[in-house]
Amino acid sequence: MHLHIVVPTILSQPQYEVENVELLSKQFTNLELEHTLYFVSNVPDPVFDAIKFNSPNVRKSVSNLNFSISRALNSIFESIDFEDNDVLGFIQTDCRFGNKKWIKYYLDILFDEKYNAGVLGQRPHLRCNVVELQEVYNDLFSFFRAFWTDGTMLFKGSTLRKVGFFDENYFGDCESQDFCYRVHEAGFTNYWISDNESFFKYQHKSVNFGGKAKKNHREFLDKVDKSRKYFDSKWRQFELDNMGKTSW
């Protein structure tokens, strides 16, 4: 098993983001997990060019499509050889786990066949629709069935092969939600893993939408608006049929 984790960046907090990537690599290394972290910028940037990592497991690249997380992710997943039991996914640059072994618990759930896990995530949303408690994991933390979640998104290589790559019609919003819905439709169960601060010590330094573009703010917000309309055109009926359920 190899971890292939993409960390897309818009360089809103460069020093913090680099620290987070280095921390991830250190955590994986200490657990003797084979891994590669891909730090991907949307567009060429002199600040990005100057960044250097201490870990040999970090690779930098440019996806060359502004405002697109989907292209950043696909640019990696399309270019690497991965096995069905490899773990793929992405972690937002403003997310950090203080628990040094957090990934161990994610992998335990992901590879336990009784859970039929599709995507495992860390952040709930208003439209996440957490529907029921799955269980309390060894009295340590709770995790819940959910239609979608992000912040951290981990899934098997076999899942990506089944549902396909991220939809590049999205810019700046809804790409994670779309992917999770497709995973659910393919027959898997997605989970939100509770951000229990006493256990995972999870931190999220959120950047609002206005701060996600270093320039061309109006263009970015227009693309976000179009992405949301595109998402609604694809998934409105699904949400009408499913949102508000208390179980499935």
Side-chain angles (χ1 to χ4, degrees):
M1 181 195 70
H2 192 103
L3 300 177
H4 294 281
I5 309 299
V6 182
V7 185
T9 180
I10 52 172
L11 297 173
S12 58
Q13 308 171 86
Q15 182 176 350
Y16 184 75
E17 295 173 15
V18 171
E19 290 173 358
N20 284 348
V21 174
E22 293 279 17
L23 177 61
L24 284 171
S25 185
K26 182 177 180 180
Q27 290 172 340
F28 297 164
T29 298
N30 288 343
L31 292 172
E32 299 183 341
L33 293 171
E34 294 184 6
H35 68 281
T36 308
L37 296 167
Y38 306 88
F39 194 58
V40 183
S41 176
N42 285 171
V43 294
D45 186 293
V47 174
F48 181 79
D49 293 342
I51 290 173
K52 298 186 184 303
F53 289 95
N54 294 319
S55 171
N57 299 99
V58 181
R59 300 179 185 175
K60 291 168 49 181
S61 66
V62 178
S63 59
N64 291 307
L65 185 59
N66 206 11
F67 312 133
S68 178
I69 293 176
S70 292
R71 174 87 296 259
L73 299 173
N74 290 346
S75 69
I76 299 302
F77 297 146
E78 292 170 353
S79 66
I80 62 175
D81 294 322
F82 60 86
E83 304 295 331
D84 284 352
N85 278 341
D86 286 344
V87 176
L88 280 60
F90 82 94
I91 298 179
Q92 294 177 348
T93 57
D94 54 2
C95 296
R96 175 181 292 185
F97 291 86
N99 185 322
K100 298 177 182 179
K101 297 182 179 180
W102 71 271
I103 186 65
K104 171 188 179 298
Y105 302 99
Y106 270 73
L107 296 179
D108 286 350
I109 295 170
L110 191 61
F111 284 95
D112 191 327
E113 292 184 0
K114 71 181 178 183
Y115 298 127
N116 187 37
V119 175
L120 305 184
Q122 189 70 27
R123 290 181 59 209
H125 295 266
L126 291 176
R127 294 172 76 178
C128 177
N129 202 52
V130 174
V131 297
E132 63 186 31
L133 175 68
Q134 177 63 30
E135 67 175 54
V136 177
Y137 187 93
N138 293 341
D139 294 325
L140 297 175
F141 60 90
S142 301
F143 64 105
F144 302 78
R145 296 187 180 197
F147 286 112
W148 79 287
T149 176
D150 68 357
T152 297
M153 288 179 63
L154 298 184
F155 43 88
K156 293 179 184 177
S158 56
T159 303
L160 184 65
R161 291 193 206 283
K162 186 169 184 177
V163 304
F165 296 107
F166 283 73
D167 188 336
E168 293 185 20
N169 289 297
Y170 294 107
F171 288 87
D173 197 23
C174 298
E175 62 285 311
S176 300
Q177 195 169 354
D178 177 277
F179 184 80
C180 285
Y181 281 11
R182 288 192 283 130
V183 170
H184 173 82
E185 290 280 81
F188 299 101
T189 302
N190 300 323
Y191 294 99
W192 166 54
I193 299 180
S194 172
D195 57 348
N196 184 328
E197 293 183 4
S198 65
F199 184 75
F200 283 109
K201 298 180 173 60
Y202 174 73
Q203 301 174 29
H204 174 233
K205 289 190 176 182
S206 179
V207 176
N208 63 28
F209 274 101
K212 287 187 175 181
K214 296 169 73 172
K215 54 184 179 180
N216 303 325
H217 293 276
R218 185 69 264 162
E219 178 187 356
F220 173 70
L221 293 176
D222 286 345
K223 285 183 177 291
V224 168
D225 183 61
K226 290 178 181 177
S227 293
R228 290 173 175 172
K229 290 177 179 177
Y230 172 65
F231 175 85
D232 285 339
S233 73
K234 286 184 68 176
W235 294 106
R236 179 169 175 76
Q237 191 59 51
F238 172 87
E239 293 195 330
L240 288 173
D241 292 342
N242 290 281
M243 294 299 130
K245 283 184 176 181
T246 58
S247 64
W248 63 57

